[in-house]
Amino acid sequence: MFKNPFQVAVTFAVIALIIKVTAFSFDFQHGDMENYIRYIYMLLLLIAVFFGIRSNKISEENQTTFMQDLKAGARTAAFFAILVSVITYVYYAKIDSTFFEVKQAPLLEQLELETKKTIELGKESKETVIANYSNQLFGIRTFLSPYFQAVWTLFGLIFMGLFNSLVFALLMKKMPGFK
């Protein structure tokens, strides 16, 4: 079925893209679907790692070591993470470019109200309040941006993929029928 880890990663990254674009086309990208997309990515990563290790076992005719299985799973997870993070960046930068504006709006409104309230109370100097406001504004705009989302997607998927690779490599070594 799959010949190498890269082919597995590309296949499951395309599936992730299709799911993400489908959620966008039905206008489900806000609310609960945002969490479901994370779970779907985790499931796709789990399945991709399994098939990555399995494709390596098939090509080596089931004569693989624990380290070979671990490396095959980690390689699949890394390819998948890179592809999905690129997809995530392009999706949020080009396809759904208003996503983070919608997420930032209530936070910016709350920050504005708190800043006005603090200035009216006069407990802090106006320069301190403005400096605090600009720092928080920078934090909100940085945290809720396509670049930040893509970087955290990359790190999260890589670390989860390494853990999944370790677990599947152990399972495939200890349970011969688990292939």
Side-chain angles (χ1 to χ4, degrees):
M1 184 169 165
F2 296 113
K3 299 209 184 318
N4 59 36
F6 186 70
Q7 193 178 35
V8 174
V10 168
T11 302
F12 285 99
V14 168
I15 292 170
L17 173 65
I18 290 169
I19 291 169
K20 188 87 165 168
V21 171
T22 303
F24 173 73
S25 65
F26 288 117
D27 202 25
F28 290 146
Q29 72 269 30
H30 298 287
D32 289 341
M33 192 59 179
E34 186 179 349
N35 290 327
Y36 293 139
I37 292 292
R38 287 186 198 125
Y39 301 140
I40 291 169
Y41 280 2
M42 285 189 268
L43 177 65
L44 289 174
L45 176 66
L46 189 71
I47 296 169
V49 167
F50 173 77
F51 280 113
I53 294 173
R54 189 168 179 267
S55 71
N56 188 51
K57 279 193 168 301
I58 290 170
S59 68
E60 299 291 328
E61 298 170 356
N62 290 332
Q63 301 301 319
T64 59
T65 65
F66 170 77
M67 281 309 286
Q68 287 174 326
D69 289 347
L70 182 65
K71 286 179 183 179
R75 208 173 15 254
T76 304
F79 290 147
F80 179 80
I82 290 168
L83 292 171
V84 169
S85 65
V86 168
I87 288 168
T88 299
Y89 180 78
V90 170
Y91 173 81
Y92 287 124
K94 304 292 181 196
I95 298 172
D96 192 6
S97 58
T98 61
F99 180 83
F100 290 112
E101 292 173 13
V102 171
K103 293 290 182 188
Q104 288 176 4
L107 296 172
L108 295 176
E109 186 178 310
Q110 181 183 1
L111 180 61
E112 190 86 19
L113 289 173
E114 288 175 2
T115 303
K116 286 180 183 178
K117 215 181 266 186
T118 305
I119 290 174
E120 288 174 2
L121 292 174
K123 291 182 179 179
E124 297 178 25
S125 69
K126 195 170 189 177
E127 293 81 21
T128 305
V129 172
I130 291 173
N132 189 23
Y133 172 78
S134 65
N135 286 339
Q136 289 181 354
L137 185 65
F138 176 76
I140 290 170
R141 292 214 169 119
T142 301
F143 181 70
L144 294 173
S145 68
Y147 176 76
F148 191 82
Q149 188 73 24
V151 167
W152 281 106
T153 298
L154 177 69
F155 285 134
L157 288 175
I158 284 178
F159 288 121
M160 283 189 295
L162 289 174
F163 178 75
N164 292 344
S165 299
L166 179 69
V167 170
F168 277 130
L170 283 171
L171 284 174
M172 288 182 174
K173 272 295 157 213
K174 296 297 177 188
M175 299 177 173
F178 189 76
K179 294 177 189 156

